[in-house]
Amino acid sequence: MAPPATSTEKEQAIDDWLPITSSRNAKWWYSAFHNVTAMVGAGVLSLPYAMSELGWGPGIVAMLLSWIITLYTLWQMVEMHECVPGKRFDRYHELGQHAFGDKLGLWIVVPQQLIVEVGVCIVYMVTGGKSFEKCYTVACPDCNPLRTSSWIMIFAAIHLLLSQLPNFNSITLVSLAAAVMSLSYSTIAWAASAHKGRVADVDYGKTASTAAGQTFNFLSALGDVAFAYAGHNVVLEIQATIPSTPDRPSKKPMWQGVVLAYIVVAICYLPVAFVGYYVFGNSVDDNILITLEKPRWLVAMANIFVVVHVIGSYQIYAMPVFDMLETFLVKKLRFRPGLPLRLIARSLYVVFTALVGIAIPFFGGLLGFFGGFAFAPTTYYLPCILWLKIMKPKTFSLSWFTNWFCIIVGLLLTVFAPIGGLQSIIVNASTYKFFS
């Protein structure tokens, strides 16, 4: 008869079952796929619209500065993953707990991370459903239309199946397909715009006629840009899947993947934002694929690519939520780990995000609000605060100044971007239709 398992063995068995820590055999290119899938969201399609509210000068500065700052803060996250010898911070909140203490660290990081991850899942549920709908209407303009809620339910059904994949490594092929699709539809968006050529009487002026309206739109557009750089919320969880040895710590292959991912991000973001704005000016829609009505087959193909990409992105952002949910159920509520628990818990989460998406399918209108309120902290300046607290760079050194600059930029985004996003929601509230 085998001796009873010790508490340490039980904890290890649970860690071997949880999605973030169950598999540590990822290659460096896995992190590239996952980071591209996490970063290059459907938010890229709103960048020309953000440019139209920002204007050429501020728009170019916002795009380039965001790319540089978020690459820097991502590098910090990768470095801090193993900043304590012999220990790995596999989850964002674990790093927060190391810096601020067990309770305070949890309360600082987890609410913000959940707002981002659950918010993105709801946004992508709506985006996936609407992209399905767009494919249908473009491919068959004479067919009977279906309600948006029906398309969201179809999209949710796919995730009821995919959500049962146990961990990050098991969704690598889904993530690879999503990464390829993101590059594909981004290329279609700017290449089709360039082929169309600049529209007659293009106007680069602001859409709002009043100074107040222009200011609110400007602030909301900053939130849209912040939303486009949201991969930091899952970066430690992705790095946790990479093996680590004293000779080759996980930060080396992870950084290789991050650099490749950020090159792809630049290839996707900058041409879409600048070419789209150059061609359409302030007449561009908040989704450039809507502005591009022709050629019909190309627009339909681009929307199919968006669907595939959003399927992968949803899974990337859902996996840390699954990990938190299953950790709580198994370690706090003492449920038995296994397939029945995973099936019920993950299915309920997918249903929840689908129901919220169906109830308020204008959730995409909250991009500006969430972009500033939740994405800016976890992406722009929380890594810098953690770096100052944990790594303790010398006061007035280059690292110290750089981190404080990022913190100030991030705080300004956090304060001002939600104001613009909230005002946009209030102005358009009369046209919103619940359960459409």
Side-chain angles (χ1 to χ4, degrees):
M1 182 176 174
T6 64
S7 60
T8 306
E9 289 171 340
K10 287 179 180 177
E11 287 174 9
Q12 185 59 50
I14 291 171
D15 284 340
D16 290 342
W17 178 78
L18 291 170
I20 300 302
T21 48
S22 63
S23 179
R24 293 195 191 269
N25 59 359
K27 310 298 182 187
W28 72 266
W29 54 86
Y30 288 24
S31 78
F33 305 154
H34 294 327
N35 277 293
V36 169
T37 303
M39 189 74 72
V40 187
V44 65
L45 301 174
S46 70
L47 291 177
Y49 179 75
M51 284 289 297
S52 73
E53 300 297 357
L54 294 169
W56 278 116
I60 291 172
V61 170
M63 290 294 302
L64 296 180
L65 195 60
S66 290
W67 191 87
I68 293 166
I69 288 175
T70 56
L71 178 59
Y72 172 68
T73 55
L74 200 54
W75 170 78
Q76 290 181 309
M77 297 286 285
V78 170
E79 288 289 317
M80 287 188 288
H81 180 81
E82 292 174 283
C83 60
V84 175
K87 183 174 176 59
R88 298 182 70 172
F89 296 108
D90 295 321
R91 299 163 179 89
Y92 206 144
H93 68 81
E94 290 177 5
L95 191 62
Q97 287 175 300
H98 174 67
F100 303 112
D102 285 348
K103 283 192 175 179
L104 183 60
L106 211 60
W107 281 104
I108 287 174
V109 176
V110 170
Q112 294 184 84
Q113 197 178 12
L114 279 176
I115 288 170
V116 171
E117 287 162 357
V118 178
V120 167
C121 285
I122 296 168
V123 169
Y124 284 168
M125 193 64 79
V126 176
T127 304
K130 288 190 171 180
S131 294
F132 261 140
E133 185 178 19
K134 181 74 173 177
C135 294
Y136 178 73
T137 54
V138 169
C140 187
D142 300 322
C143 298
N144 291 328
L146 292 175
R147 289 161 58 115
T148 302
S149 55
S150 300
W151 291 109
I152 293 173
M153 288 170 68
I154 293 168
F155 188 73
I158 296 169
H159 289 293
L160 286 172
L161 294 173
L162 289 179
S163 65
Q164 297 309 311
L165 292 171
N167 52 46
F168 269 119
N169 287 347
S170 65
I171 59 171
T172 299
L173 289 178
V174 178
S175 188
L176 171 59
V180 172
M181 293 299 104
S182 64
L183 188 58
S184 301
Y185 71 70
S186 299
T187 303
I188 288 173
W190 69 260
S193 299
H195 183 264
K196 182 182 179 71
R198 199 154 60 145
V199 299
D201 302 320
V202 65
D203 183 3
Y204 297 117
K206 301 292 189 293
T207 52
S209 55
T210 64
Q214 290 176 9
T215 303
F216 282 127
N217 288 346
F218 183 92
L219 296 176
S220 182
L222 288 178
D224 288 349
V225 174
F227 185 92
Y229 293 91
H232 297 55
N233 290 277
V234 294
V235 68
L236 291 179
E237 287 81 354
I238 292 171
Q239 191 169 347
T241 65
I242 296 176
S244 184
T245 63
D247 295 334
R248 188 169 173 78
S250 63
K251 66 182 180 182
K252 290 184 178 180
M254 182 67 186
W255 181 240
Q256 286 178 276
V258 166
V259 170
L260 178 58
Y262 254 73
I263 290 170
V264 175
V265 166
I267 292 170
C268 290
Y269 282 19
L270 302 183
V272 172
F274 300 153
V275 174
Y277 180 45
Y278 172 78
V279 170
F280 296 107
N282 63 15
S283 64
V284 71
D285 289 282
D286 59 1
N287 179 338
I288 193 171
L289 293 182
I290 295 172
T291 314
L292 286 167
E293 292 294 341
K294 293 179 181 179
R296 190 178 292 275
W297 65 269
L298 192 64
V299 175
M301 186 185 294
N303 276 282
I304 292 170
F305 291 165
V306 171
V307 170
V308 175
H309 174 252
V310 171
I311 287 171
S313 284
Y314 182 99
Q315 290 299 317
I316 290 288
Y317 279 95
M319 198 61 75
V321 182
F322 295 156
D323 184 78
M324 287 186 205
L325 191 60
E326 289 165 15
T327 299
F328 176 76
L329 291 171
V330 172
K331 291 190 174 182
K332 296 291 183 185
L333 300 184
R334 304 294 180 186
F335 280 92
R336 184 186 295 275
L339 183 60
L341 176 67
R342 183 161 279 170
L343 181 66
I344 294 168
R346 295 190 179 191
S347 298
L348 285 174
Y349 177 76
V350 172
V351 170
F352 166 75
T353 54
L355 286 176
V356 176
I358 289 167
I360 44 175
F362 53 85
F363 200 89
L366 297 174
L367 286 186
F369 180 77
F370 277 97
F373 180 68
F375 288 70
T378 53
T379 301
Y380 285 78
Y381 65 90
L382 187 54
C384 298
I385 294 172
L386 292 169
W387 186 270
L388 292 172
K389 183 79 174 169
I390 295 169
M391 308 304 283
K392 295 180 171 52
K394 190 177 178 181
T395 306
F396 304 123
S397 64
L398 179 61
S399 173
W400 187 88
F401 274 116
T402 304
N403 281 290
W404 276 108
F405 173 76
C406 295
I407 289 168
I408 291 166
V409 171
L411 281 171
L412 290 173
L413 268 177
T414 304
V415 172
F416 290 113
I419 297 171
L422 196 58
Q423 192 269 349
S424 174
I425 293 162
I426 292 167
V427 167
N428 296 313
S430 60
T431 61
Y432 290 150
K433 292 181 180 178
F434 290 86
F435 294 100
S436 61

